[in-house]
């Protein structure tokens, strides 16, 4: 197939559609159903702490540490792999790799258990790496496929598609879990685990549309040397060296670090906090209350993405961000 031209509607839509594919992971597994399933495993065994690595740790901090470790791995891999992708010109290969890694790990969560806690947490870790690693290469496509004036609108469209797609699958999973008897299940446990399989299949399946149209990238076909492998870190070193002379960039990076740290922490930990700390009257109320709350947040986020894009076009990115 002849590569689509930069800025073409079909190419932009194909890029945005990856959000439809992968956002089901962040909603179903990172935010809604997996936190409920994770907490239910501990409650079913009547334990709050688990022996691991020679000590005991509560379930909340345990999953938080695993999540943090996943971010640490992604932060190390990103400059390493981005340097190779820029040189070889095969960022689609890396996007596919992390996509399939995350979708396979999502399916693997079906077998998550306390009896095999090390392996189970390892699968959860791989899912996080797959999700966040794929976003690195997905976002790096934007300057390649869209002109400057197209980037805000298509980015907002991607967010909107992600919110809508993830809500659709979450509603289907919610019906399957709350009305498990309709589907021939004896309890909500089995449909909860099946929802992880559906996430993996949805993610890998719908990504094919994006993979079909996104360009492979332009680069060299030569051998990847040590210099190329470390080029991403060299670019980071250049940025770091230039911070002293660029106060604006220095302030921005410091501010973004604090801002992102706060936002990501709330996004990733809020569900575990709500599942464990709020005084739910019953397990069914916990399931319904948490998932419905997250659904409402997602629907509000669709409107937020659209309005933010329009505000940015009218008032500029800086004023919109401050607002």
């Amino acid at each position: 197939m002849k590569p689509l031209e930069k800025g073409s509607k079909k190419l932009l839509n194909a890029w945005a559609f990856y959000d439809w594919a992968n956002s089901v992971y962040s909603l179903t597994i990172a935010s809604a159903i997996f936190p409920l399933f994770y907490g239910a495993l501990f409650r079913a065994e009547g334990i709050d702490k688990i022996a691991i690595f020679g000590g005991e740790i509560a379930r909340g901090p345990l999953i938080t540490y695993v999540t943090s470790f996943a971010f640490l791995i992604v932060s190390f891999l990103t400059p390493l792999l981005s340097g190779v992708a820029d040189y070889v010109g095969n960022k689609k290969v890396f996007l596919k790799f992390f996509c399939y890694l995350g979708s396979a790990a999502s399916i693997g969560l079906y077998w998550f258990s306390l009896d095999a806690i090390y392996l189970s947490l390892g699968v959860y870790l791989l899912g996080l790496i797959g999700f966040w690693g794929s976003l690195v290469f997905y976002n790096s496509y934007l300057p390649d496929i869209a002109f400057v004036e197209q980037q805000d609108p298509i980015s907002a469209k991607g967010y909107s598609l992600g919110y809508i797609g993830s809500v659709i699958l979450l509603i289907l999973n919610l019906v399957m879990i709350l009305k498990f008897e309709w589907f021939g299940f004896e309890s909500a446990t089995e449909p909860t685990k099946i929802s992880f399989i559906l996430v993996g299949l949805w993610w890998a399946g719908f990504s094919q549309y994006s993979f079909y149209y996104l360009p492979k990238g332009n680069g060299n076909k030569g051998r990847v040397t040590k210099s190329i492998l470390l080029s991403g870190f060299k670019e980071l070193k250049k940025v770091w060296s230039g911070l002293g002379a660029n106060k604006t960039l220095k302030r921005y990076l410091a501010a973004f670090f604090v801002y992102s740290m706060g936002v990501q922490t709330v996004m990733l930990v809020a569900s575990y906090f709500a599942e464990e700390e709020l005084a739910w009257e019953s397990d069914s109320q916990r399931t319904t209350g948490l998932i419905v709350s997250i659904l409402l947040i997602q629907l509000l986020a669709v409107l937020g993405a659209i309005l933010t894009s329009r505000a940015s076009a009218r008032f500029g990115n800086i004023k919109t961000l401050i607002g």
Side-chain angles (χ1 to χ4, degrees):
M1 185 190 74
K2 183 180 178 180
L4 297 174
E5 293 184 0
K6 180 177 180 178
S8 71
K9 185 175 181 180
K10 182 175 288 187
L11 179 58
L12 295 178
N13 288 336
W15 177 84
F17 197 72
Y18 185 75
D19 246 315
W20 171 282
N22 81 332
S23 290
V24 294
Y25 176 88
S26 62
L27 182 60
T28 300
I29 293 179
S31 301
I33 295 180
F34 181 78
L36 289 168
F37 172 76
Y38 178 77
L41 283 179
F42 282 84
R43 287 193 299 275
E45 297 293 332
I47 58 176
D48 292 321
K49 295 183 178 181
I50 191 168
I52 188 169
F53 299 127
E56 284 193 339
I57 187 170
R59 66 177 188 261
L62 175 60
I63 202 71
T64 303
Y65 291 146
V66 174
T67 302
S68 300
F69 186 54
F71 270 85
L72 186 64
I73 293 174
V74 171
S75 67
F76 176 78
L77 286 178
T78 296
L80 195 71
L81 298 178
S82 61
V84 175
D86 288 341
Y87 175 77
V88 180
N90 61 349
K91 67 173 63 178
K92 187 192 287 189
V93 172
F94 289 102
L95 177 59
K96 285 183 175 182
F97 171 79
F98 283 107
C99 168
Y100 295 145
L101 174 65
S103 61
S106 298
I107 294 173
L109 289 176
Y110 177 89
W111 293 276
F112 192 101
S113 70
L114 298 184
D115 293 332
I117 189 63
Y118 291 100
L119 179 61
S120 297
L121 290 175
V123 172
Y124 179 75
L125 177 79
L126 291 176
L128 286 168
I129 293 173
F131 177 73
W132 291 103
S134 73
L135 285 182
V136 171
F137 294 96
Y138 168 63
N139 290 328
S140 71
Y141 261 111
L142 189 56
D144 298 338
I145 58 101
F147 296 106
V148 174
E149 65 274 11
Q150 296 175 314
Q151 291 177 10
D152 282 344
I154 197 60
S155 180
K157 185 174 184 177
Y159 275 111
S160 298
L161 285 173
Y163 293 136
I164 295 171
S166 56
V167 163
I168 291 173
L169 184 59
L170 184 58
I171 290 175
L172 293 176
N173 289 331
L174 179 61
V175 172
M176 189 169 61
I177 292 169
L178 295 181
K179 301 296 181 181
F180 57 86
E181 65 276 6
W182 293 0
F183 302 89
F185 298 114
E186 296 182 357
S187 69
T189 302
E190 190 65 18
T192 298
K193 294 163 66 176
I194 289 176
S195 69
F196 304 147
I197 295 179
L198 294 179
V199 167
L201 295 177
W202 178 294
W203 186 357
F206 281 114
S207 294
Q208 300 310 307
Y209 178 74
S210 300
F211 294 158
Y212 185 77
Y213 288 109
L214 286 176
K216 294 180 180 179
N218 298 315
N220 303 296
K221 300 296 182 181
R223 186 168 57 92
V224 177
T225 63
K226 181 180 178 181
S227 176
I228 299 303
L229 196 63
L230 299 177
S231 62
F233 290 102
K234 292 177 181 177
E235 290 299 321
L236 287 178
K237 185 178 180 180
K238 288 181 182 179
V239 173
W240 181 261
S241 300
L243 285 180
N246 193 331
K247 292 184 178 180
T248 302
L249 179 60
K250 187 176 182 179
R251 291 170 180 170
Y252 168 78
L253 289 176
F256 182 79
F257 173 78
V258 177
Y259 160 82
S260 181
M261 181 169 55
V263 171
Q264 297 298 336
T265 299
V266 171
M267 288 174 60
L268 293 167
V269 177
S271 296
Y272 293 99
F273 172 83
E275 186 277 332
E276 184 173 347
E277 297 296 334
L278 298 186
W280 303 101
E281 293 181 1
S282 63
D283 288 341
S284 62
Q285 187 192 72
R286 178 185 289 106
T287 300
T288 305
L290 185 58
I291 294 180
V292 169
S293 297
I294 293 172
L295 277 172
L296 292 175
I297 293 171
Q298 290 294 111
L299 293 173
L300 182 63
V302 175
L303 178 63
I306 296 172
L307 292 180
T308 300
S309 174
R310 293 182 179 179
S312 180
R314 181 173 181 178
F315 304 109
N317 290 336
I318 299 299
K319 290 182 179 180
T320 301
L321 183 60
I322 292 174

